[in-house]
Amino acid sequence: MSLTSARRAKRRGPRRFTRRDLVVLGVLLGIPVLLDIAIVWGPTLASIVLSFTSWDGIGSIHWVGTQNYTNLFTNYPPFWPAVRHNLMWLGFLGLIATPFGLLLAVVIDRGVRFSRFYQSTIYMPVVLSLAIVGFIAQLVFSRDQGVLNAVLGNKDNPTDWLGDPNLNIWMILIAAAWRHTGYVMILYLAGLKAVDPTLKEAASIDGANERQIFFRVVFPTLRPVNVIVGVITVIESLRAFDIVYAVNHGRNGLEVLSVLVTDNIIGEASRIGFGSAIAVVLLAVSMGFVVTYLVQEIRGEKNR
């Protein structure tokens, strides 16, 4: 090494940030952090505090301790049906819509004819909001002018798909799954494209059939995608609001926790403290599912 090169190497060291660099980093990192605190964590912490109070949004705030939670669990009839409906959302999306999206992704990944057309068509509902999906569900499942009753020919005694409390939750779940399936399909398609083909070839040479290759080779490599899909499914199930509110304001068999929060906070009662207690319960349940799932996946990743 020449003397000049040695001097240059000596001059090189840890680069020190200038005042301009610090300002740029502060702006680029500080603004998103401040927005996150103001929009997400600020209201979250405020809801937790308000859940222990009685407040109508105008008058003074009165501390009531755990009274809101006691009334919620023991003296609020819509609560437990809403919990049951949210669990039904989770089970339907997790056990039916998600596996169906995975199946569609596997079929399209094999290169069937018109795969681009199928992919675009199945993904199209994802660009729609759940409120729009709710309006579409009304057009399909309406009692008097719905497409389904017209196809079935039920003119004399039409089925009230959205008015019957024993049926409407399943119709809404089908509509929500229609949107959720396309989302899951795209995620798994991206994961399948990243699978090393040599792994499948090696398994095939060892005598494994297609089913064994998928469950023993392909599916384990999709662990990161499984984590994302699992978290998204839980969040979609527990934050369900738009579609049920668009159909019948979340009543008559479509009660979910998010609707109860809205009815109590911005409804005629204006029970902000009580509505905040419902929101905290929904937050705790959501975080419980997500954190448990992520911890299990991280432990599984470390044990590999």
Side-chain angles (χ1 to χ4, degrees):
M1 180 182 295
S2 64
L3 182 60
T4 304
S5 300
R7 288 178 179 175
R8 289 178 179 176
K10 187 176 181 179
R11 289 175 184 174
R12 292 174 188 163
R15 183 177 180 272
R16 295 182 178 180
F17 290 107
T18 64
R19 181 174 296 179
R20 180 181 178 182
D21 294 336
L22 294 176
V23 171
V24 172
L25 286 175
V27 171
L28 294 179
L29 296 178
I31 292 178
V33 170
L34 290 176
L35 288 175
D36 187 59
I37 293 174
I39 298 175
V40 178
W41 293 108
T44 299
L45 295 177
S47 296
I48 294 175
V49 174
L50 288 173
S51 68
F52 297 99
T53 66
S54 175
W55 186 39
D56 60 1
I58 300 176
S60 59
I61 301 176
H62 302 284
W63 186 266
V64 296
T66 60
Q67 181 179 342
N68 287 329
Y69 293 98
T70 302
N71 292 335
L72 178 64
F73 292 127
T74 61
N75 195 28
Y76 189 56
F79 176 71
W80 291 112
V83 172
R84 183 176 68 251
H85 293 158
N86 275 112
L87 293 177
M88 290 173 64
W89 274 75
L90 179 60
F92 195 88
L93 295 185
L95 300 179
I96 297 178
T98 297
F100 187 58
L102 174 59
L103 175 63
L104 293 175
V106 172
V107 172
I108 292 177
D109 183 63
R110 291 183 178 180
V112 296
R113 294 184 61 184
F114 308 112
S115 60
R116 295 287 183 182
F117 171 77
Y118 296 141
Q119 180 176 335
S120 301
T121 303
I122 297 171
Y123 182 75
M124 192 176 299
V126 180
V127 304
L128 304 175
S129 68
L130 277 175
I132 300 299
V133 175
F135 294 136
I136 295 174
Q138 287 181 313
L139 296 175
V140 175
F141 301 120
S142 176
R143 178 181 181 274
D144 298 321
Q145 300 177 346
V147 175
L148 183 58
N149 278 335
V151 172
L152 296 176
N154 295 338
K155 295 182 180 180
D156 297 331
N157 188 22
T159 303
D160 194 358
W161 301 103
L162 298 179
D164 188 343
N166 297 319
L167 295 177
N168 55 12
I169 184 65
W170 299 107
M171 300 302 105
I172 295 302
L173 286 175
I174 291 174
W178 173 59
R179 180 179 182 270
H180 185 73
T181 298
Y183 196 7
V184 172
M185 180 199 68
I186 289 297
L187 292 175
Y188 274 120
L189 267 177
L192 290 171
K193 298 297 182 184
V195 176
D196 190 354
T198 58
L199 296 176
K200 294 186 284 188
E201 293 176 1
S204 179
I205 293 174
D206 290 339
N209 55 36
E210 292 187 2
R211 181 175 177 275
Q212 292 172 331
I213 291 174
F214 177 78
F215 285 104
R216 298 184 181 180
V217 178
V218 177
F219 192 72
T221 61
L222 296 176
R223 179 180 292 271
V225 182
N226 292 333
V227 174
I228 296 173
V229 171
V231 171
I232 289 175
T233 301
V234 172
I235 293 174
E236 287 288 328
S237 302
L238 297 178
R239 74 176 184 90
F241 173 80
D242 314 48
I243 185 170
V244 296
Y245 207 80
V247 172
N248 66 354
H249 297 284
R251 297 184 177 91
N252 191 31
L254 294 181
E255 297 84 358
V256 290
L257 291 175
S258 57
V259 172
L260 299 185
V261 173
T262 303
D263 288 344
N264 281 277
I265 291 181
I266 65 175
E268 296 180 359
S270 295
R271 298 192 298 174
I272 295 180
F274 189 76
S276 297
I278 304 174
V280 171
V281 171
L282 182 58
L283 173 66
V285 174
S286 303
M287 294 299 294
F289 275 106
V290 173
V291 171
T292 301
Y293 191 84
L294 289 178
V295 168
Q296 291 178 350
E297 290 297 326
I298 292 173
R299 287 178 179 176
E301 191 72 24
K302 290 182 179 179
N303 294 332
R304 292 180 61 187

